[in-house]
Amino acid sequence: MDTADPGTTSARSTVVIVTWRARDHLEHCLDALAAQTRPHRLLVVDNASDDGTADLLRAHPTAPEVLRLPANSGYAGGMAAALRRVRTEFMVWLNDDAVPARDWLAALEDAADADPGAGAVSSLLRAEDGTVQSAGVGLTPDGHGRDLGATTGVDGTAEPVEVFSFCGGAALVRTEPLRALGGVPESYFCYYEDTDTAWRLRLGGWRVLLAPAAGVRHAHGASSAPGSPRFHRWNERNRLVTLVRCAPLPVALREVLRFTAITAALPLRRRLGRPTPDAANFRVGLRLGVLGETLERTPEALRFRRELGRRAVLDRTAVWRTWAGRDER
């Protein structure tokens, strides 16, 4: 159904929430959507939750359309499933632990309207204490997607600024370019689906903006476990696969070899008594698993890379040189 005074204005956006066992904070997200000043359609993808989420969705006043999946397909899988149902001009991604401000959707749509070349518009995400959690996503020199802070230039301005990528926690994406450039990488499960998508939009000639006026309060980590072994496994694997799909080939090869070399060196360093990081992503077993999964996915990633190359209007090297490390210079 359309919300926010449906019937007077046609909804241009479908807000998509992917949820899994998130009943406690999902209700706050739905309440905030009910208060939006722009009409929209609402689609909730339920990743086979077993915590009463289905009951909440049936009872909530927003009466969202619900797509219940038979198993947990992650954030990326849920968004990919939702894209097949979206018929509006914009597909809006929203985490179930996010609470958007009343004029959030209006700010996103207005920013997209003001720049027809923008393929996506990111929100300004703040933590519970008000600090900036994400002002869009930058690209590091080694190909990591990194949440940008207040240094992006968001303080004291409501004017959109260009960033490399949107943060998938709360963003608007133009539906047709998204479909034309390969959709959502559903096999990622979680993490880097936003960076990969933004990279492809850029190769297709689209820009990505941050709309500082599109404010969202985000309980980061409420629906996942940053720092856990699973987080690092998905994060590291999806970064490498994204590089194979989107980056200049020498960059992708360099980073896969670098990851392999660090993995091989870790046991030797420990035998020699040299310090090594304690983080889960420096566990040899986890890294070997990442390399195995990356190798398994490489043939499909290369096939996708060739197809994307036929659709791209910008050179991969040009995009890389423009954005890699730009926010660290």
Side-chain angles (χ1 to χ4, degrees):
M1 66 174 289
D2 293 354
T3 60
D5 296 322
T8 58
T9 306
S10 177
R12 302 173 63 201
S13 295
T14 299
V15 179
V16 178
I17 303 171
V18 176
T19 191
W20 179 68
R21 297 180 181 173
R23 180 188 175 102
D24 290 346
H25 45 265
L26 175 60
E27 186 169 10
H28 300 300
C29 180
L30 294 174
D31 290 345
L33 288 173
Q36 291 298 300
T37 59
R38 287 282 170 87
H40 57 276
R41 302 189 68 82
L42 177 56
L43 171 61
V44 178
V45 181
D46 183 1
N47 268 322
S49 300
D50 54 6
D51 63 344
T53 292
D55 294 334
L56 168 64
L57 293 172
R58 279 193 293 268
H60 198 271
T62 53
E65 178 185 356
V66 177
L67 171 59
R68 183 172 172 84
L69 301 182
N72 186 3
S73 63
Y75 192 68
M79 279 294 169
L83 179 58
R84 293 188 276 271
R85 293 196 174 197
V86 173
R87 296 294 179 265
T88 51
E89 180 182 0
F90 303 124
M91 177 183 184
V92 181
W93 302 19
L94 186 65
N95 278 7
D96 57 13
D97 54 6
V99 179
R102 180 173 168 78
D103 58 354
W104 163 73
L105 182 57
L108 290 176
E109 290 185 346
D110 289 349
D113 287 342
D115 186 349
V121 184
S122 197
S123 306
L124 178 61
L125 279 70
R126 294 185 183 272
E128 303 272 357
D129 63 2
T131 58
V132 174
Q133 188 181 92
S134 179
V137 173
L139 183 65
T140 69
D142 58 358
H144 281 88
R146 181 179 68 86
D147 282 313
L148 302 174
T151 53
T152 311
V154 298
D155 288 339
T157 179
E159 294 301 315
V161 295
E162 191 169 8
V163 292
F164 174 72
S165 171
F166 61 92
C167 172
L172 173 150
V173 184
R174 291 189 191 272
T175 306
E176 288 312 310
L178 174 60
R179 284 200 178 100
L181 291 163
V184 182
E186 60 186 312
S187 67
Y188 279 26
F189 193 83
C190 198
Y191 305 116
Y192 273 85
E193 60 279 328
D194 48 6
T195 303
D196 180 279
T197 297
W199 209 323
R200 288 181 283 116
L201 286 172
R202 287 199 166 278
L203 290 172
W206 296 88
R207 289 187 294 279
V208 179
L209 303 178
L210 163 74
V216 174
R217 190 175 77 250
H218 184 221
H220 184 58
S223 55
S224 62
S228 69
R230 286 194 303 176
F231 164 85
H232 284 298
R233 170 192 156 205
W234 297 328
N235 203 58
E236 297 286 5
R237 178 197 70 196
N238 293 347
R239 175 181 74 95
L240 295 177
V241 173
T242 292
L243 290 172
V244 174
R245 284 160 54 101
C246 300
L249 201 54
V251 172
L253 181 60
R254 182 194 73 198
E255 292 307 317
V256 171
L257 291 176
R258 189 205 301 268
F259 190 91
T260 303
I262 292 173
T263 303
L266 283 171
L268 178 60
R269 290 183 61 87
R270 286 166 182 158
R271 281 196 208 100
L272 295 174
R274 296 181 181 175
T276 57
D278 292 329
N281 58 324
F282 284 92
R283 297 175 187 171
V284 174
L286 184 147
R287 295 177 71 90
L288 289 173
V290 166
L291 285 170
E293 290 183 18
T294 301
L295 181 62
E296 181 183 10
R297 291 162 184 250
T298 293
E300 173 59 23
L302 290 172
R303 184 206 63 76
F304 182 88
R305 177 189 182 88
R306 290 191 293 271
E307 178 62 27
L308 177 61
R310 287 192 282 269
R311 302 177 187 181
V313 299
L314 294 182
D315 179 71
R316 297 173 194 269
T317 301
V319 173
W320 175 262
R321 287 177 176 170
T322 300
W323 289 99
R326 170 170 168 165
D327 297 291
E328 302 175 17
R329 297 168 190 166

